[in-house]
Amino acid sequence: MIASTMLKLHITPAEGDPFEYAVDVDSLVIGRSSRCDLAVADRCLSRQHLRLFQLDGTWMVEDLGSRNGTRVNGLLISKPSAVRVGDAIAVSTSLIVVGGAAADGSESTWDHTQSVFRAATEILSDSARELAQPVTAENAELQRATNQLRVLNDVHLALADSLTTEELFDAVLDRVFAHLQPKHGAVFLKHGEELIRVAGRSQTDITEDFPESTSLAREVIDKGLAAVVHDTRTDARFAGAESLVDAGVRTLIAAPLLTPDGALGMIVLSSTLAETQFAERDMELLVVVASATGLKMRNLALAEEAAERQRFEREVALARRIQVALLPAEMPQIPGIEIFGRNIPSRGVSGDYYQVVERADGDEVAIVIADVSGKGIAASLLTGYVDALFNAYLGEGLGPREIFNRVSPQMNSKTPVEQFATAFLGIYTVATGAIRFASAGHDPTILVRASGEVELLNPTGMPLGLMPEAVYTASEAHVEPGDTLVLYTDGITEAARPDDEMFERERLIEVCREHRGESPEELAVSIDATVDAFVEGVPYHDDRTLVILRRSE
């Protein structure tokens, strides 16, 4: 920040020659009125347009409710904002560049008596107004306007084509070289703090590598200013810029690649001959070209982003089709019981898994439900692995404890440490209604008796794959006629309403108790309706899976 009390302003008014103004007071009002502390010849300025003032040793700029607003480095300000040495304050079509001693005693880096810097947004606004008005000037001005329109039309025709980013830069350099006749030109993009030259052109035998100038980039890219430098040898700013001087750069113009989100980079054109001078009109034209280029770059990026999103959506859709194929296509039809299962993913693909398999020639039914850690594609990949492991053992006639004790160490050895799965595996005996089960850290399964009493089938061990030495035990329960067994994942119990209150297990138990006489599919519909009403439209953040078994006799 500018910490000294002395401030030096370089003013380029809309009317008249540039001049400097030394500020030796703590507050300065600027406008077109002669009653202002500093009057600027610009008919588009408000009478009292802005105020410069010191606050705790820092210079601030404040717009005084002007009609056309005040911009600092191309950005419209809505409240008092700090200014630094080298900042450009655009007011209407006038420009005020801040100079003076910085806190470390250094002077403003740019010598604005040799170089002209203007806010690119102001130039674009001025150009639009000029082109919209009929030409009434003499022949030279008419010729200039005609040439400008020809260049802009040529550039826009080129940008209308379907181009890659590389082709875009080549097309733009073709046009500006044809119309502005520089000796060298380059396009720079900024990636973080790094300045990268992505395209270049030269009319001489000298290498087309244009030297990087971080100081120029700071003014043009960071501040959104367009520049015309008449002679780098006599401009104080380039006294230490040996790369530019050694490359023979004598005069240059630069403009930012503007987008609504800021400048992506800059276009720089230069000449090695003292007699080839760029004018402000050349700079203004380059601003329009650079702005169109920046917007085209943004559109190309958005198009690529949309294409990438479509590719991702297709991959997710394919993953979902594969995942659905792993789930039961239909439930076993076994006399005396009804079974229903379904999975609703929160992100296209699911980290939940369930399986229902007949065993022992229909005398047993194995029911599995699992919830793997994480969400999305990574979680869905793990569910495929879980499915393969369970299918490898379910057909062997093993019990829940034995299956878990085999599945868990394999998961632990083959998956990252942060990936695991909670699961419930029950083996239901059709003739007796007995169910032997093991639960690996899964939410308690709800057994609703025909009487309305509720029994919870609690975990018998830790989640699968969490620890290599995990050991699981099994337990047993009996499903009597009229009883309902409800297996679920925590996407249901952790569904939240707008105030972040969760649905919780108690509400799920109450729904199951209230609708215990319904078929499994009807009960699932009742659960969904109750949870949907509870969340009041808040999107579900986790997958929701239900497997419901009801013994009818």
Side-chain angles (χ1 to χ4, degrees), residues 44-55:
C44 295
L45 252 63
S46 295
R47 290 181 179 276
Q48 293 187 332
H49 198 105
L50 64 93
R51 181 171 72 103
L52 284 167
F53 64 96
Q54 282 202 90
L55 180 64

Side-chain angles (χ1 to χ4, degrees), residues 131 142-158 175-176 178-179 285 289:
L131 292 174
L142 177 60
Q143 183 64 44
R144 185 199 64 78
T146 302
N147 289 338
Q148 185 179 29
L149 285 172
R150 184 183 299 113
V151 176
L152 296 181
N153 182 65
D154 194 14
V155 169
H156 281 285
L157 285 176
R175 270 64 183 184
V176 296
H179 293 286
L285 180 58
V289 172

Side-chain angles (χ1 to χ4, degrees), residues 7-306:
L7 195 66
K8 183 170 63 177
L9 306 178
H10 183 84
I11 298 102
T12 304
E15 306 164 24
D17 297 327
F19 64 94
E20 290 190 348
Y21 185 89
V23 181
D24 55 3
V25 293
D26 292 334
S27 177
L28 181 79
V29 175
I30 302 174
R32 79 170 192 272
S33 172
S34 59
R35 296 185 178 182
C36 291
D37 301 312
L38 172 58
V40 176
D42 187 336
R43 287 171 291 181
C44 295
L45 252 63
S46 295
R47 290 181 179 276
Q48 293 187 332
H49 198 105
L50 64 93
R51 181 171 72 103
L52 284 167
F53 64 96
Q54 282 202 90
L55 180 64
D56 297 329
T58 297
W59 279 99
M60 311 287 290
V61 60
E62 174 187 20
D63 186 84
L64 299 178
S66 67
R67 181 174 65 254
N68 295 322
T70 299
R71 295 177 183 269
V72 176
N73 299 327
L75 298 177
L76 189 68
I77 63 171
S78 59
K79 60 183 180 179
S81 303
V83 290
R84 299 173 173 84
V85 170
D87 281 353
I89 304 171
V91 285
S92 181
T93 56
S94 300
L95 183 71
I96 302 171
V97 178
V98 179
D104 59 2
S106 63
E107 290 293 326
S108 173
T109 55
W110 292 101
D111 181 354
H112 294 279
T113 62
Q114 292 292 331
S115 307
V116 176
F117 287 80
R118 292 176 56 193
T121 53
E122 294 296 329
I123 294 174
L124 290 171
S125 178
D126 293 346
S127 297
R129 284 196 298 269
E130 288 180 9
L131 292 174
Q133 295 176 358
V135 178
T136 58
E138 296 182 2
N139 187 60
E141 185 65 17
L142 177 60
Q143 183 64 44
R144 185 199 64 78
T146 302
N147 289 338
Q148 185 179 29
L149 285 172
R150 184 183 299 113
V151 176
L152 296 181
N153 182 65
D154 194 14
V155 169
H156 281 285
L157 285 176
L159 299 187
D161 293 336
S162 179
L163 301 170
T164 65
T165 304
E166 183 177 349
E167 292 170 339
L168 168 65
F169 296 145
D170 285 340
V172 170
L173 288 176
D174 283 344
R175 270 64 183 184
V176 296
F177 265 70
H179 293 286
L180 296 178
Q181 296 293 311
K183 295 302 178 184
H184 300 280
V187 179
F188 293 93
L189 297 183
K190 196 164 186 183
H191 294 271
E193 296 300 318
E194 189 176 3
L195 189 64
I196 300 176
R197 177 184 169 278
V198 294
R201 188 70 55 81
S202 177
Q203 289 189 8
T204 70
D205 294 332
I206 304 175
T207 175
E208 64 182 35
D209 288 345
F210 190 94
E212 297 178 7
S213 174
T214 54
S215 298
L216 183 62
R218 185 165 53 249
E219 300 295 316
V220 176
I221 301 175
D222 296 348
K223 296 181 180 180
L225 302 180
V228 54
V229 177
H230 298 303
D231 194 335
T232 58
R233 297 176 308 172
T234 59
D235 192 309
R237 168 58 187 87
F238 296 102
E242 296 180 0
S243 59
L244 289 176
V245 176
D246 291 345
V249 175
R250 292 281 294 278
T251 177
L252 65 83
I253 51 175
L257 299 167
L258 289 178
T259 75
D261 301 320
L264 302 176
M266 65 179 177
I267 299 178
V268 184
L269 304 179
S270 72
S271 172
T272 57
L273 302 177
E275 59 267 24
T276 305
Q277 287 284 337
F278 292 112
E280 282 195 57
R281 289 296 185 183
D282 300 323
M283 175 188 70
E284 292 167 359
L285 180 58
L286 187 62
V287 166
V288 179
V289 172
S291 176
T293 305
L295 290 175
K296 181 68 174 182
M297 288 175 61
R298 181 173 181 266
N299 290 340
L300 287 173
L302 291 175
E304 177 59 30
E305 183 180 321

Side-chain angles (χ1 to χ4, degrees), residues 424 426-429 433-437 457 475-479 485:
F424 176 94
I427 307 296
Y428 177 83
T429 303
I435 181 167
R436 290 170 291 141
F437 70 90
L457 310 188
S475 189
E476 187 170 320
H478 282 80
V479 182
L485 196 66

